[in-house]
Amino acid sequence: MVGALALVAALAAASCSAGPAPADGGALADDGPGVPEDSAATGFAFVDPGGDAGTAGPTPAVGDPRTPLGELRAAHLPVWDRELDWAFPPEVCGSAWELDAVASPDGRTTSSFLLDPVPATAALAVMRYEHLFSAALAAPSALAQLCVAVAAVEPARSESLAVLASYLETGSRRAEPARHPDEVTVLAVAPTSVLAAACVEPGYPTVVTAGGEVRSEPRAPARLQAYLLRVARGLEDDVADVSLRVSTVYHRPAESCEELAAWTGEWRGRAEQWAAEGRLWEPVGLTITVGDLCGDSSPGTAPENALERNVLECPSDWS
């Protein structure tokens, strides 16, 4: 019963987000000093999924990291696996090679430091987050936690990992394959943050239990998303890997993605209000599609005719 309740709670936050966005923008409205850093003391109870393949969930055991890398990950990932002592995220997740699995918001480095143009980088980060998180829930595993960690920083990372942990506990999975939005609108940019919006379909995917029973039907055909992205610094090696990663997600169910225009208008108005108040937000309002990022490139190659030439990933190549 506890596992089922955990799954229901996780489904209620299937986009790993908080509830409705605050009326005045809340924490999204300010940028600069005071960006919260990750805490190593998460209070997770580690388990090692070492049970038989046919069981509904992992067999609880004490996590036992054997390497410094494993100890670092054990402070952030709720389900322990021995392979986390050495697994490399690009090999597990197909992510960009420069992304560390665990990163922390970096309030000292500005978004302009990024090698790629910021709007294109932000759109790619949103698409990567949705792809890696949905892929982890379609094929849950302890190693899939690395994929969620690649895509997000706190608080979105812990919220997403909690959903994945409930899937591992109940042996559940999403029936739908991994997917990402076809377009992302970058609404505003601040020195260390970016605000973006997109629509995800299906809104609330069907979840299948270990025995094949459908435990939840989709509650809405689409889901409107607003993303706060932070400039983040990787923690897993000595190289200063700086990237944009999803930090906070706000969502709203929708009948179709045709409602996206009103949603982006709502958030664009908030960004404009923050800028008018003298806060460090600059409205952008640029929509970037998968086609813009990929151009006419063939799979596995850098885009030649893309909107932003410095973008080195094509979402169409993700499997």
Side-chain angles (χ1 to χ4, degrees):
M1 177 61 73
V2 173
L5 291 176
L7 177 59
V8 171
L11 292 172
S15 63
C16 92
S17 70
D24 62 353
L28 301 185
D30 294 315
D31 192 87
V35 175
E37 297 289 341
D38 288 345
S39 170
T42 58
F44 286 138
F46 307 127
V47 297
D48 188 338
D52 296 333
T55 60
T59 300
V62 177
D64 185 20
R66 301 297 178 92
T67 67
L69 176 60
E71 291 178 357
L72 172 68
R73 290 172 172 174
H76 298 275
L77 307 180
V79 179
W80 179 252
D81 185 277
R82 296 175 184 89
E83 291 189 65
L84 292 172
D85 270 318
W86 57 78
F88 190 46
E91 296 176 359
V92 176
C93 312
S95 58
W97 67 268
E98 70 272 17
L99 296 181
D100 283 307
V102 175
S104 176
D106 184 354
R108 296 162 295 180
T109 304
T110 65
S111 58
S112 60
F113 174 83
L114 298 169
L115 297 178
D116 295 337
V118 173
T121 304
L124 186 64
V126 167
M127 293 178 188
R128 181 188 293 116
Y129 167 80
E130 291 293 351
H131 170 76
L132 291 178
F133 184 39
S134 60
L137 298 185
S141 72
L143 287 184
Q145 293 174 113
L146 289 178
C147 307
V148 176
V150 161
V153 293
E154 298 302 332
R157 180 170 61 214
S158 288
E159 294 167 352
S160 302
L161 288 172
V163 175
L164 177 57
S166 73
Y167 276 54
L168 291 172
E169 178 186 357
T170 60
S172 303
R173 62 174 177 81
R174 281 190 178 177
E176 293 81 3
R179 59 177 59 218
H180 54 76
D182 293 329
E183 66 179 41
V184 175
T185 298
V186 179
L187 300 172
V189 175
T192 61
S193 305
V194 178
L195 180 66
C199 181
V200 177
E201 295 177 305
Y204 295 87
T206 302
V207 175
V208 181
T209 66
E213 179 186 0
V214 175
R215 298 297 290 266
S216 175
E217 294 292 344
R219 295 182 294 160
R223 177 166 26 95
L224 305 175
Q225 301 272 98
Y227 307 86
L228 177 68
L229 300 101
R230 298 284 195 190
V231 175
R233 183 178 296 269
L235 303 178
E236 293 202 352
D237 57 39
D238 296 329
V239 179
D241 295 326
V242 178
S243 58
L244 273 175
R245 308 202 193 191
V246 171
S247 174
T248 308
V249 185
Y250 294 92
H251 66 98
R252 178 183 298 168
E255 289 303 315
S256 74
C257 285
E258 292 182 1
E259 299 179 35
L260 179 60
W263 176 253
T264 55
E266 176 183 332
W267 285 94
R268 183 181 296 113
R270 298 186 186 205
E272 291 172 350
Q273 178 183 349
W274 303 337
E277 293 172 352
R279 297 173 181 179
L280 301 179
W281 285 95
E282 179 182 354
V284 176
L286 179 62
T287 297
I288 296 176
T289 68
V290 170
D292 292 331
L293 294 173
C294 296
D296 295 328
S297 64
S298 57
T301 63
E304 295 294 336
N305 301 319
L307 175 66
E308 308 288 1
R309 285 183 173 272
N310 289 333
V311 175
L312 299 180
E313 278 190 275
C314 171
S316 296
D317 292 343
W318 297 338
S319 57

